[in-house]
């Protein structure tokens, strides 16, 4: 589970990532990121009503948090990263979300140099 200090919480922090950050898109996710002044990464998760009912949206957020936690050590530090779920994510598997996350993070250059052995 992500600590409170590892999460983006306020609307101002989200707005900063959206306005000043870079955007990369995949099949199920959109990733926005911007450098921060902290020594660690912070993550935010967005699922809107296009995804489905609240139960599905919360399940997707739990799965995304698990994926982020799994690969947290391989992500370059000092970034605020927001993951936005796309409409088709509700029907995808956990493995599909994980592969999409990995490909987007590689495309964005957010994995550390020693993380080349990730599928």
């Amino acid at each position: 589970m992500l600590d409170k200090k590892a999460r983006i919480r306020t609307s101002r922090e989200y707005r900063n990532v959206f306005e000043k950050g870079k955007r990369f898109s995949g099949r199920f996710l959109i990733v926005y990121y911007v450098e921060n002044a902290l020594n660690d990464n912070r993550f935010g998760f967005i699922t809107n009503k296009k995804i489905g009912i609240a139960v599905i949206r919360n399940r997707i957020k739990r799965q995304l948090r698990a994926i982020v936690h799994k690969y947290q050590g391989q992500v370059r530090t000092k970034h605020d990263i927001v993951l936005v779920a796309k409409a088709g994510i509700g029907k995808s598997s956990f493995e599909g979300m994980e592969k999409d996350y990995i490909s987007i993070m590689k495309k964005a250059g957010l994995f550390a140099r020693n993380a080349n052995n990730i599928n």
Side-chain angles (χ1 to χ4, degrees):
M1 180 155 183
L2 293 173
D3 296 338
K4 290 231 185 219
K5 66 180 181 178
R7 294 186 192 171
I8 298 172
R9 290 178 295 209
T10 66
S11 61
R12 189 166 85 192
E13 292 168 343
Y14 276 99
R15 198 174 329 114
N16 180 52
V17 175
F18 290 134
E19 290 176 358
K20 297 180 181 174
K22 294 182 182 176
R23 176 183 190 258
F24 286 88
S25 182
R27 184 173 177 196
F28 302 118
L29 296 170
I30 302 170
V31 173
Y32 293 87
Y33 73 94
V34 67
E35 287 191 33
N36 65 25
L38 307 172
N39 288 329
D40 294 320
N41 289 325
R42 294 188 306 168
F43 290 89
F45 304 92
I46 297 177
T47 56
N48 61 27
K49 289 190 178 183
K50 292 179 185 177
I51 306 299
I53 60 175
V55 173
I56 295 171
R57 293 192 308 266
N58 290 332
R59 178 176 52 86
I60 298 297
K61 283 192 276 191
R62 273 195 313 274
Q63 290 174 330
L64 289 175
R65 280 194 299 268
I67 292 168
V68 166
H69 186 263
K70 181 177 179 179
Y71 295 102
Q72 196 171 11
Q74 281 103 15
V75 178
R76 288 184 12 222
T77 57
K78 297 187 177 188
H79 288 92
D80 285 343
I81 302 168
V82 176
L83 302 174
V84 180
K86 286 182 162 181
I89 198 168
K91 295 181 175 127
S92 71
S93 66
F94 181 82
E95 291 79 19
M97 282 188 261
E98 189 174 20
K99 286 180 184 177
D100 199 36
Y101 174 79
I102 291 169
S103 70
I104 294 170
M105 296 297 275
K106 283 182 178 178
K107 190 171 23 172
L110 288 173
F111 274 139
R113 294 196 190 276
N114 61 355
N116 290 333
N117 58 357
I118 296 174
N119 299 336

